[in-house]
Amino acid sequence: MKEWWVQVGLLSVPLLAVYLHIPPPKLSPALLSWRSSGGYFTYKDQNIFYRDSTGAVGSSDIVVLLHGFPTSSYDWCKIWEGLTQRFHRVIALDFVGFGFSDKPRPHRYSIFEQASIVEGLVRHLGLHHQKINLLSHDYGDTVAQELLHRSLQPLVLCLLSACIAPRAISRLCSTSRQRPLRNNRFLFSILQYINQRKKHRDRWVGALMSTSVPLHLIYGPLDPVNPHPEFLQLYKKVLPMSTVSVLDDHISHYPQLEDPTGFLNAYLNFINSF
């Protein structure tokens, strides 16, 4: 009788072959609707998906939403309508490599490129001379920090689940997200942002420390990436000029999805405070 591991190996080969040829699942009606209500612009031959909704009458305020890893602009679906009741324009994009945007392979994905794509979208929409409110989450926080460093136009910045300090970065690097890297070059290339955060920490944290723009953090105490209370204590020490909203104890890493009402109230209280 063959060794058990030989039998398992023989069985795994056809199963793996089937798995690799399984077509992607069909989009849900909600995702189909999200895609149909958006459009594309071209950045260096890459098709970038975005949504742009006209909202509140009488307001000239604009908010640009920057999603996290490993998700997409759909992260903002539960607060989209609420934002359109406050802002004249509500805009979100899928970063290259995410969502409905192109996913070139091989490709050197970088925070710098993603920031340039955001700038490209703002120019494409003719908004490059106007003040922009940036609302960012996770991966998008670092893109926002790079945009803040460039300071090409007036900004107001609100961060969600920000990873700005060595403790938070090392925590992120130790999560299970890294396990598939040996077998997935595409995921590995996307995840280079973790190393970029380490390499360019002075640039990006320095942008937050030296800025004069209004800065706010919305934080879920149950966030496993930025553990409570250590992260919040460090954030307040590094950025004492920033205001902070702490949500209910059961809110974790995706507050805009877990508690859209509480999150929206916290964000609008910040926006309406100046």
Side-chain angles (χ1 to χ4, degrees), residues 23-29 31-32:
K26 292 183 179 180
L27 296 178
S28 68
L31 282 173
L32 288 171

Side-chain angles (χ1 to χ4, degrees), residues 102-113:
D102 283 353
K103 302 169 182 62
R105 308 180 194 187
H107 187 75
R108 290 180 175 269
Y109 292 91
S110 76
I111 294 297
F112 299 101
E113 177 188 38

Side-chain angles (χ1 to χ4, degrees), residues 26 37 39 45 62 109 111 150 185 220 227 238 249-250 273:
K26 292 183 179 180
S37 63
D45 298 325
I62 301 162
Y109 292 91
I111 294 297
R150 298 180 186 186
R185 293 182 181 179
V238 174
D249 289 346
H250 66 281
S273 67

Side-chain angles (χ1 to χ4, degrees), residues 168-188:
I169 291 174
S170 63
R171 174 83 177 193
L172 179 60
C173 289
S174 69
T175 66
S176 60
R177 289 176 181 171
Q178 283 193 307
R179 294 177 183 172
L181 295 188
R182 290 173 293 182
N183 301 317
N184 194 323
R185 293 182 181 179
F186 173 67
L187 182 58
F188 178 81

Side-chain angles (χ1 to χ4, degrees), residues 66-254:
L66 308 179
H67 69 80
F69 175 91
T71 51
S72 72
S73 59
Y74 192 68
D75 272 2
W76 308 107
C77 64
K78 290 188 177 181
I79 63 169
W80 194 268
E81 183 178 352
L83 290 174
T84 61
Q85 294 174 13
R86 169 59 178 80
F87 292 92
H88 175 60
R89 299 276 289 276
V90 180
I91 300 162
L93 78 161
D94 290 347
F95 292 125
V96 64
F98 297 80
F100 296 124
S101 291
D102 283 353
K103 302 169 182 62
R105 308 180 194 187
H107 187 75
R108 290 180 175 269
Y109 292 91
S110 76
I111 294 297
F112 299 101
E113 177 188 38
Q114 306 287 23
S116 295
I117 289 172
V118 175
E119 291 177 335
L121 175 59
V122 169
R123 287 193 300 270
H124 173 75
L125 297 175
L127 303 174
H128 48 292
H129 295 305
Q130 300 190 42
K131 184 179 76 173
I132 299 293
N133 295 278
L134 285 179
L135 176 55
S136 62
H137 177 229
D138 188 77
Y139 181 95
D141 289 341
T142 311
V143 178
Q145 289 170 251
E146 172 58 22
L147 291 168
L148 190 63
H149 176 83
R150 298 180 186 186
S151 299
L152 297 181
Q153 66 185 110
L155 297 173
V156 175
L157 180 56
C158 181
L159 306 169
L160 284 74
S161 307
C163 290
I164 64 166
R167 180 188 296 271
I169 291 174
S170 63
R171 174 83 177 193
L172 179 60
C173 289
S174 69
T175 66
S176 60
R177 289 176 181 171
Q178 283 193 307
R179 294 177 183 172
L181 295 188
R182 290 173 293 182
N183 301 317
N184 194 323
R185 293 182 181 179
F186 173 67
L187 182 58
F188 178 81
S189 61
I190 290 284
L191 278 171
Q192 286 303 304
Y193 81 93
I194 296 176
N195 294 328
Q196 292 165 24
R197 276 177 169 171
K198 293 179 179 179
K199 182 178 180 180
H200 302 290
R201 182 186 184 276
D202 289 344
R203 174 188 181 98
W204 292 332
V205 177
L208 292 174
M209 295 176 67
S210 62
T211 187
S212 60
V213 307
L215 179 63
H216 190 69
L217 170 72
I218 300 177
Y219 179 68
L222 206 60
D223 188 345
V225 178
N226 301 299
H228 186 270
E230 293 87 357
F231 171 77
L232 200 55
Q233 293 170 348
L234 185 57
Y235 180 91
K236 291 179 177 179
K237 180 180 179 180
V238 174
L239 301 171
M241 71 293 192
S242 173
T243 53
V244 176
S245 294
V246 179
L247 302 180
D248 291 344
D249 289 346
H250 66 281
I251 303 303
S252 183
H253 190 65
Y254 288 87

